[in-house]
Amino acid sequence: MPTAKKETLSKHFGTWYRKVLIDAGIADYRYPIKGCGVWMPYGFKIRKYGLQILRDLLDSTGHEEALFPLLIPETSLEKEAAHVKSFEAECFWITRGGLNTLDVKLALRPTSETVITPMLKLWIRSHKDLPLKLYQVVNVFRYETKTTRPLIRVREVSTFKEAHTSHATFEESEAQIREATEVYKRFFDALGVPYVISRRPEWDKFAGAVYSDGFDTVLPDGRTLQIGTVHNLGQNFSKAFDVTYEAEGGKREHIWQTCYGISERWLAAVFGVHGDDNGVVLPPKIAPIQAVIIPIPHKEKGEKITETCIKTAKKLEDEACMRVKADLREELTPGSKFFDWELKGVPVRIEIGPRDFERKEAIVVRRDTFEKTSVKLDELVEYLQALMEKMSKEMREKALKWLHEHIHSAKSLAEVKTFLNKRAGIVEVSWCGETDCGLKMEQEINGKVLGVLQNVKEKVSGNCVVCGKKAQNIVRVAVAY
Amino acid sequence: MPTAKKETLSKHFGTWYRKVLIDAGIADYRYPIKGCGVWMPYGFKIRKYGLQILRDLLDSTGHEEALFPLLIPETSLEKEAAHVKSFEAECFWITRGGLNTLDVKLALRPTSETVITPMLKLWIRSHKDLPLKLYQVVNVFRYETKTTRPLIRVREVSTFKEAHTSHATFEESEAQIREATEVYKRFFDALGVPYVISRRPEWDKFAGAVYSDGFDTVLPDGRTLQIGTVHNLGQNFSKAFDVTYEAEGGKREHIWQTCYGISERWLAAVFGVHGDDNGVVLPPKIAPIQAVIIPIPHKEKGEKITETCIKTAKKLEDEACMRVKADLREELTPGSKFFDWELKGVPVRIEIGPRDFERKEAIVVRRDTFEKTSVKLDELVEYLQALMEKMSKEMREKALKWLHEHIHSAKSLAEVKTFLNKRAGIVEVSWCGETDCGLKMEQEINGKVLGVLQNVKEKVSGNCVVCGKKAQNIVRVAVAY
């Protein structure tokens, strides 16, 4: 069985990535402002189908979609002390409206806690208004000074799904964190993107949060990518904005909040994790075209083959509910069509040539493995429905296996360094839990502490790799994007 | 037959409008920045269903959705002379990134011609790449100094659908204008929002366009609202950004462009045109809940009635493909439920009380007319499917009739003034076509020239109401939002 090559991809991920995004018609960052890019029509559709999965998951768990303003007065941003401290140096600031200088300067939202919380103050009166679970899908902005990279490190994050929930008690907010984590797991599972979840260290938690959990995956170059975060905000923002509710019994209490976000990095992860030397490989669920049908030209039978292609496309659309395209362009050879659709990651290619036509068959080629199978035309609907499921499952398993192969365990900082120098992925080490030690570790390994593994107390043993004291945690470290 | 009252609405439209948007859970503009507001969950859904109609119309006519950056470098905005002149005093300007002063200041897009055209330069090479018909749904910004009004005059236009098309010839761009006009007609027809189309006068055309056509409707207070515009840009932007294609034969020529936009004002029009004293009235196609089922409490039969409500809701969802809610809240009386759902504009209310239950019937109440009908439960699916169509049609007809009653003809400026002083809607007058005369007319009547009626040459007669010279056009004037 032929297998897909990942050679270029792993060695020259950055070059491959930028090129494939443009060539496949996904996203183009050659815009005159650094870190700002365009979702091209094909990429826009991938994004749309992916967002639909996320929206369905949120809607079915009682979240409601809303849309809040982009602009934040400096006076609002300042209200939560830790929050403004972290974000003010990263915001784009509007100081002029038309030809006037503004009295209060306005930030482009880097995230929306300080936009949403003042509105909650207007809407929430009693415990009957709780829980309130809102989300929006919007663009957010960071004045990024480092090197930018499409969808990964940008100035305009074009696609930020941020959820903001309000609760009557801390316990309910904790239950919400569990629900959010479950929603995100199911989202990444649907995309076949594997992840680890770590509790971010104190110095890397969201500004204004009580604690933050992060989802990370490993890209082909061995660096980790944060693809989702879940935060318990406690009462930090509700106290800063004085948002209270009337509890049963009449007492006014501050609400408890959580927030969790996923940016367009999930798309970067999909392209990176599943891609190969020939282009992107799309999980069937989010592929704008799930199967492309290509006629093999033939002098006598050409017309009838084309007809069969059109009929087959129609049948698959109607009976298998698939998104199908018959590529009948006459000016292109089958080979150049194969090249096009492989680049764009269409999950299945269906070829119909003269011999297949005679036999009432088609050749089905899987994009992920290049495996070829002859299938009877009248069995195609069932075959492809099963294949879509199979591919989703196998792509997920393959990616998960690859991630597991890139998680290592180390007993010393030297060992960690060896792993990270060869970009081997994530390394797990024992840690005392002290911030000083953590920061020292980051400096020594020239990498990042992703955070602490949860619910593994029984596995903690040995000593901190930095200070040698008794370990309290297992912590993940990596070279991160 | 009882009819819906529009008393408060016509006399105090502004007050009614702001209040109903918040009370119905549609939009809340009590945000700390003037002219910026929130789409609340219920309003967000109305917006979503409406946008879906628009997207379907665009997708089915070969448009492709994309997503372009928000920020425009001043150097890009400056390239088309008329364009920058019109917009620079209306833009929000970013001058700082973090703690740095930016070298080139950045505008928040007021519209996207200067964002999209530089990308077209990268994408369009030959006539084979044309036509290219793109659209996006985004937020755009105007530094509005006048009084703002939710969805009508705002600083953040949260929902701007802008289409941008590229063509090989002027003739093709003209055909595109016709297609765009047709798409917009069908969109407003689906919403039951009536309109007139006028060719905007020279001094009011889109900055950078060859000509602009505008769709206007009349709100209950007699003022007109621009709800859509269609522009032929000629080669103005393609020459400014030097975007050329290789024509057949090898010669390089500048592309021809059109653009057309609809902002969230279509929602303001829906609320204003169909609303009444009891709240908004939603066209069935965009109602998040198309029918609400309310049990009338009863001691003995209460439980069985509730059961019937649940079953009926399920049946309507499954068999009529309707969006239905059974409102089973026990703490509320039926009356207060009626009040709630009338405010929110749910097209149909279904009441099931003890007598209806016995007779296997339900009472169906239309939101637009308050007409009540008893319907057998097993005929409800068919009845409601027909009723949804009927309501859509009758709401459209009623609104159209109302618009026609608010279009007048005048022979003199004095007559125009009389109409406009009593906010009677649109007035049609004869005009010589000279800009000087047009501007003088606007000043005299303290109103706006909406533009010239197209294709009515045979109806033009008499003299210009301003200068008395032979009339060349019929022109519409109004007090406009």
Side-chain angles (χ1 to χ4, degrees):
Chain A
M1 190 169 79
T3 54
K5 286 183 195 170
K6 296 197 81 153
E7 286 169 26
T8 317
L9 189 58
S10 56
K11 284 190 200 145
H12 309 285
F13 177 67
T15 320
W16 173 91
Y17 180 70
R18 269 180 195 276
K19 186 167 157 51
V20 88
L21 287 185
I22 294 175
D23 291 352
I26 294 171
D28 193 338
Y29 274 72
R30 294 172 293 173
Y31 186 71
I33 302 173
K34 167 181 160 169
C36 295
V38 180
W39 282 103
M40 299 161 87
Y42 185 70
F44 188 87
K45 288 193 188 84
I46 301 171
R47 175 183 177 274
K48 178 178 78 172
Y49 290 117
L51 282 177
Q52 194 56 55
I53 297 175
L54 190 50
R55 285 186 159 116
D56 288 346
L57 285 167
L58 290 165
D59 293 347
S60 67
T61 46
H63 295 76
E64 294 190 291
E65 189 164 1
L67 187 58
F68 288 84
L70 169 73
L71 304 178
I72 311 176
E74 188 177 26
T75 43
S76 289
L77 199 71
E78 280 170 352
K79 289 212 171 173
E80 211 291 326
H83 193 72
V84 66
K85 199 178 158 199
S86 163
F87 283 112
E88 67 183 342
E90 288 186 6
C91 283
F92 280 101
W93 288 102
I94 296 174
T95 59
R96 278 183 44 195
L99 309 169
N100 303 333
T101 300
L102 300 181
D103 293 337
V104 176
K105 64 181 195 280
L106 307 172
L108 302 193
R109 63 182 158 224
T111 170
S112 300
E113 287 70 23
T114 59
V115 173
I116 292 174
T117 313
M119 297 309 294
L120 297 178
K121 192 175 166 67
L122 297 171
W123 298 337
I124 295 173
R125 290 165 195 281
S126 91
H127 60 93
K128 287 178 196 160
D129 300 319
L130 299 173
L132 181 61
K133 294 153 69 174
L134 299 172
Y135 74 97
Q136 64 175 355
V137 181
V138 294
N139 50 356
V140 297
F141 294 81
R142 305 269 165 108
Y143 179 66
E144 194 58 67
T145 49
K146 295 185 204 163
T147 306
T148 58
R149 196 177 296 269
L151 318 184
I152 290 178
R153 186 170 295 281
V154 291
R155 287 182 163 184
E156 177 175 19
V157 177
S158 70
T159 317
F160 189 49
K161 189 290 301 163
E162 47 176 334
H164 298 266
T165 71
S166 305
H167 306 272
T169 64
F170 176 70
E171 290 67 35
E172 285 173 33
S173 74
E174 284 289 275
Q176 191 55 40
I177 295 291
R178 290 190 292 274
E179 181 184 89
T181 307
E182 196 52 41
V183 163
Y184 283 6
K185 281 181 176 180
R186 288 166 64 188
F187 178 59
F188 292 122
D189 288 349
L191 304 172
V193 170
Y195 48 81
V196 291
I197 305 172
S198 317
R199 173 116 343 150
R200 295 281 183 253
E202 274 300 307
W203 66 90
D204 196 31
K205 69 181 186 186
F206 179 73
V210 177
Y211 67 80
S212 298
D213 289 339
F215 283 68
D216 299 284
T217 194
V218 177
L219 290 185
D221 60 358
R223 293 168 75 173
T224 56
L225 183 69
Q226 170 178 298
I227 49 175
T229 49
V230 179
H231 314 286
N232 194 324
L233 303 178
Q235 295 178 312
N236 291 344
F237 286 89
S238 67
K239 284 184 176 163
F241 286 88
D242 194 27
V243 183
T244 60
Y245 73 97
E246 193 181 305
E248 288 185 77
K251 207 181 139 201
R252 293 212 76 83
E253 292 183 14
H254 287 100
I255 60 167
W256 297 84
Q257 292 176 284
T258 82
C259 68
Y260 30 103
I262 284 185
S263 79
E264 64 234 41
R265 283 181 163 193
W266 65 264
L267 285 144
V270 163
F271 303 139
V273 163
H274 301 303
D276 64 22
D277 286 4
N278 294 37
V280 302
V281 180
L282 296 178
K285 285 194 183 71
I286 62 166
I289 300 169
Q290 295 171 313
V292 62
I293 307 183
I294 297 173
I296 309 299
H298 188 264
K299 255 188 192 165
E300 293 111 49
K301 294 174 196 152
E303 217 164 293
K304 288 201 169 166
I305 290 174
T306 300
E307 228 169 74
T308 307
C309 288
I310 296 171
K311 269 190 204 160
T312 305
K314 180 92 178 63
K315 192 178 171 185
L316 291 175
E317 280 170 357
D318 293 348
E319 295 177 25
C321 290
M322 285 176 66
R323 298 185 285 267
V324 184
K325 184 183 176 68
D327 184 354
L328 308 175
R329 291 175 292 177
E330 289 188 354
E331 70 278 19
L332 295 184
T333 62
S336 57
K337 291 180 188 177
F338 296 175
F339 179 86
D340 264 15
W341 299 115
E342 280 173 11
L343 179 61
K344 284 178 176 285
V346 173
V348 166
R349 179 173 83 224
I350 299 168
E351 304 167 16
I352 304 182
R355 202 185 314 180
D356 313 303
F357 174 74
E358 287 302 324
R359 294 177 180 169
K360 296 188 177 158
E361 285 183 355
I363 294 173
V364 173
V365 187
R366 279 174 66 159
R367 174 63 184 88
D368 60 335
T369 59
F370 294 107
E371 191 184 354
K372 287 187 179 198
T373 314
S374 278
V375 181
K376 289 281 173 206
L377 284 178
D378 56 14
E379 291 169 7
L380 207 51
V381 167
E382 277 189 0
Y383 182 85
L384 288 179
Q385 282 178 322
L387 183 60
M388 294 284 110
E389 285 303 312
K390 191 170 182 242
M391 283 178 67
S392 297
K393 184 166 169 279
E394 290 181 7
M395 283 172 71
R396 183 169 62 243
E397 286 169 352
K398 186 173 158 192
L400 185 62
K401 181 164 175 280
W402 193 88
L403 175 65
H404 283 159
E405 288 165 4
H406 289 77
I407 300 177
H408 311 277
S409 180
K411 296 278 178 213
S412 69
L413 281 181
E415 223 181 314
V416 173
K417 277 198 252 185
T418 310
F419 278 123
L420 297 193
N421 282 341
K422 59 181 183 188
R423 295 285 188 272
I426 294 168
V427 188
E428 295 178 351
V429 293
S430 296
W431 178 42
C432 64
E434 296 295 327
T435 293
D436 283 354
C437 258
L439 290 172
K440 199 170 166 194
M441 175 149 52
E442 289 194 337
Q443 206 168 11
E444 292 257 332
I445 63 176
N446 199 14
K448 201 172 163 71
V449 172
L450 299 179
V452 171
L453 279 74
Q454 298 295 292
N455 308 317
V456 292
K457 279 289 168 211
E458 72 288 357
K459 291 191 193 158
V460 179
S461 67
N463 301 319
C464 174
V465 287
V466 185
C467 67
K469 277 189 230 153
K470 190 169 181 314
Q472 299 296 327
N473 296 298
I474 302 172
V475 75
R476 297 192 180 100
V477 301
V479 177
Y481 268 103
Chain B
M1 192 169 82
T3 55
K5 287 184 196 169
K6 295 197 80 153
E7 286 169 25
T8 318
L9 189 57
S10 55
K11 285 189 198 145
H12 309 284
F13 177 67
T15 320
W16 173 91
Y17 180 70
R18 268 181 195 276
K19 184 168 159 50
V20 87
L21 287 184
I22 294 175
D23 291 352
I26 294 170
D28 193 337
Y29 274 71
R30 292 172 295 173
Y31 186 71
I33 303 173
K34 169 182 158 169
C36 295
V38 180
W39 281 102
M40 298 162 87
Y42 185 70
F44 188 87
K45 288 192 188 86
I46 301 171
R47 174 183 178 272
K48 177 178 79 172
Y49 291 117
L51 282 176
Q52 195 55 54
I53 297 175
L54 190 51
R55 285 185 158 117
D56 288 345
L57 285 167
L58 290 165
D59 294 346
S60 67
T61 45
H63 295 77
E64 293 189 292
E65 189 163 1
L67 187 57
F68 289 84
L70 169 72
L71 305 178
I72 311 175
E74 187 178 27
T75 44
S76 289
L77 199 71
E78 280 169 352
K79 290 213 171 171
E80 210 289 329
H83 193 72
V84 66
K85 198 177 158 201
S86 163
F87 284 111
E88 66 183 341
E90 289 186 7
C91 283
F92 280 100
W93 289 101
I94 296 174
T95 59
R96 280 184 43 197
L99 308 170
N100 303 333
T101 300
L102 300 180
D103 292 338
V104 176
K105 64 180 195 283
L106 307 172
L108 303 194
R109 65 183 156 222
T111 171
S112 300
E113 288 70 23
T114 60
V115 173
I116 291 174
T117 313
M119 298 309 293
L120 297 177
K121 194 175 165 69
L122 298 170
W123 299 338
I124 295 173
R125 291 167 194 280
S126 92
H127 60 93
K128 286 178 198 160
D129 300 318
L130 299 173
L132 181 60
K133 294 154 69 174
L134 299 172
Y135 74 97
Q136 64 176 356
V137 181
V138 294
N139 49 356
V140 297
F141 294 82
R142 305 269 164 108
Y143 178 67
E144 194 58 66
T145 48
K146 295 185 204 162
T147 306
T148 57
R149 196 179 296 269
L151 319 183
I152 290 179
R153 185 170 296 283
V154 291
R155 286 183 163 182
E156 176 174 18
V157 176
S158 69
T159 316
F160 190 49
K161 189 289 302 164
E162 47 176 334
H164 298 265
T165 71
S166 305
H167 306 272
T169 64
F170 176 70
E171 289 67 34
E172 285 173 33
S173 74
E174 284 288 275
Q176 191 56 40
I177 294 291
R178 290 190 293 275
E179 180 183 271
T181 306
E182 197 53 41
V183 164
Y184 283 6
K185 281 180 176 179
R186 287 166 65 189
F187 177 60
F188 292 122
D189 287 349
L191 303 173
V193 170
Y195 48 81
V196 292
I197 306 172
S198 318
R199 172 112 349 144
R200 294 278 183 255
E202 274 301 306
W203 65 91
D204 196 32
K205 70 182 188 186
F206 179 73
V210 177
Y211 67 81
S212 297
D213 288 340
F215 284 68
D216 298 285
T217 194
V218 177
L219 289 186
D221 60 358
R223 293 168 75 173
T224 57
L225 183 70
Q226 170 177 298
I227 50 175
T229 49
V230 179
H231 315 285
N232 194 323
L233 303 177
Q235 295 178 312
N236 291 343
F237 287 89
S238 67
K239 284 184 175 164
F241 286 89
D242 194 28
V243 182
T244 60
Y245 74 98
E246 193 180 306
E248 288 186 78
K251 206 181 142 201
R252 294 212 74 84
E253 293 183 13
H254 287 101
I255 60 167
W256 298 84
Q257 292 175 283
T258 82
C259 69
Y260 30 103
I262 284 184
S263 78
E264 64 233 40
R265 282 180 164 196
W266 64 266
L267 285 144
V270 164
F271 303 139
V273 163
H274 300 304
D276 64 22
D277 287 3
N278 294 36
V280 301
V281 180
L282 296 177
K285 286 193 181 73
I286 62 167
I289 300 170
Q290 295 171 312
V292 61
I293 306 183
I294 297 173
I296 309 300
H298 188 265
K299 254 188 191 164
E300 292 110 51
K301 295 173 196 153
E303 217 164 291
K304 288 201 166 164
I305 291 174
T306 300
E307 227 169 73
T308 307
C309 288
I310 296 170
K311 268 190 203 160
T312 305
K314 181 92 178 60
K315 192 176 173 188
L316 291 175
E317 280 170 357
D318 292 349
E319 295 177 26
C321 291
M322 285 175 67
R323 299 186 284 268
V324 184
K325 182 180 177 68
D327 183 354
L328 307 175
R329 292 176 291 177
E330 288 188 355
E331 69 279 18
L332 295 185
T333 62
S336 57
K337 291 180 187 176
F338 296 175
F339 179 87
D340 264 16
W341 300 114
E342 280 173 13
L343 179 61
K344 284 177 175 286
V346 173
V348 166
R349 179 173 83 225
I350 299 169
E351 304 167 16
I352 303 183
R355 203 184 317 179
D356 313 304
F357 175 73
E358 286 302 322
R359 293 178 180 167
K360 296 189 176 157
E361 286 182 354
I363 295 174
V364 174
V365 187
R366 279 174 68 159
R367 174 64 183 89
D368 59 336
T369 60
F370 293 109
E371 191 183 356
K372 287 189 178 196
T373 316
S374 277
V375 181
K376 290 278 173 207
L377 285 177
D378 56 13
E379 291 169 8
L380 207 52
V381 167
E382 277 189 0
Y383 182 85
L384 288 179
Q385 282 177 323
L387 183 60
M388 295 283 109
E389 286 304 312
K390 191 169 181 243
M391 284 178 66
S392 296
K393 184 166 168 281
E394 290 182 7
M395 284 172 71
R396 183 169 62 243
E397 287 169 352
K398 186 173 156 191
L400 186 61
K401 182 165 172 281
W402 194 89
L403 175 65
H404 284 158
E405 289 164 3
H406 289 77
I407 300 178
H408 311 277
S409 180
K411 295 278 177 211
S412 69
L413 281 183
E415 224 183 314
V416 173
K417 276 197 252 183
T418 308
F419 279 123
L420 297 193
N421 282 341
K422 58 181 183 189
R423 296 286 189 272
I426 294 168
V427 188
E428 296 179 352
V429 294
S430 296
W431 178 43
C432 64
E434 296 297 326
T435 292
D436 282 354
C437 258
L439 291 172
K440 200 170 165 194
M441 176 149 51
E442 289 195 335
Q443 207 168 10
E444 293 256 331
I445 63 174
N446 198 15
K448 201 173 164 73
V449 171
L450 298 179
V452 170
L453 279 75
Q454 297 295 291
N455 308 317
V456 292
K457 279 289 168 212
E458 72 287 357
K459 290 192 194 157
V460 178
S461 67
N463 301 317
C464 173
V465 288
V466 184
C467 67
K469 277 188 228 153
K470 191 170 180 313
Q472 299 296 327
N473 297 297
I474 301 171
V475 75
R476 294 192 182 101
V477 300
V479 177
Y481 268 103

